[in-house]
Amino acid sequence: MKQLFKTLIFTLLIFASAMPFAQELTEASVQTLLTEVDKAIASKNVTMLANYLSDSAEFAGVLYVNGKSQTYHFKKPEYVKMLRTTWPLISNYKYKRNNQTIVFKDGKAIITADIVESMIVRGSYASYRTHETATVELVEGAPKLTKATASSSL
């Protein structure tokens, strides 16, 4: 009986060590998440992208067009709905992340990057340059994007 008990405890410890809650936020795990996010964005796959966002994710920013600014703020459901509405209107979409840095602070990864996007929207060419700051945190043991702020110009 003691041997069975020891075997059971050992087995539970092995499984527990492999469970997601044991994971740490590392540069490799953050980079893997960012690569998957970039793939989802580049392919305009809203469902895939939504899987990498925490349920409480928030997005905010400023868009500058012809000297005027427009601010925006979305929570995850609004953001996903907006993407489902707008991405089908876009063709020839190109997306590239440059000058990326990852800094860890208080158990979070803070990512800054410059993003260049170009596309055709209803027959018209558009190109955006964005400076983005995003936060990645462990949510239920998995890295998830929890916040993003951006400053974009057309």
Side-chain angles (χ1 to χ4, degrees):
M1 187 66 156
K2 277 187 176 182
Q3 185 61 32
L4 178 62
F5 182 71
K6 286 179 183 177
T7 303
L8 180 60
I9 294 297
F10 178 75
T11 303
L12 288 173
L13 288 173
I14 293 296
F15 281 121
S17 68
M19 296 295 277
F21 62 79
Q23 182 178 354
E24 290 183 23
L25 197 57
T26 64
E27 187 155 351
S29 66
V30 171
Q31 191 56 55
T32 297
L33 173 72
L34 293 174
T35 299
E36 293 304 312
V37 165
D38 288 349
K39 285 180 192 175
I41 291 171
S43 65
K44 299 186 298 184
N45 187 327
V46 179
T47 302
M48 182 190 304
L49 178 61
N51 289 332
Y52 302 120
L53 309 177
S54 76
D55 289 341
S56 61
E58 294 194 30
F59 306 86
V62 179
L63 174 62
Y64 297 95
V65 180
N66 297 327
K68 296 182 182 181
S69 65
Q70 180 180 351
T71 60
Y72 59 90
H73 183 266
F74 298 107
K75 293 191 182 232
K76 179 182 177 178
E78 300 163 319
Y79 183 68
V80 168
K81 182 179 179 182
M82 183 269 303
L83 292 176
R84 287 192 196 284
T85 302
T86 57
W87 275 355
L89 305 174
I90 296 171
S91 62
N92 294 15
Y93 184 65
K94 293 185 174 74
Y95 171 91
K96 183 160 173 110
R97 179 188 308 269
N98 300 302
N99 303 320
Q100 177 179 287
T101 62
I102 301 172
V103 176
F104 292 90
K105 183 176 180 182
D106 299 327
K108 301 175 185 179
I110 311 300
I111 300 100
T112 57
D114 296 321
I115 296 169
V116 178
E117 297 172 278
S118 64
M119 64 204 82
I120 307 249
V121 183
R122 294 184 176 168
S124 296
Y125 176 80
S127 178
Y128 295 89
R129 294 190 179 281
T130 301
H131 182 74
E132 179 181 83
T133 301
T135 304
V136 172
E137 299 177 62
L138 283 179
V139 177
E140 296 179 6
K144 300 273 186 170
L145 187 76
T146 58
K147 181 179 179 182
T149 58
S151 177
S152 302
S153 59
L154 184 62

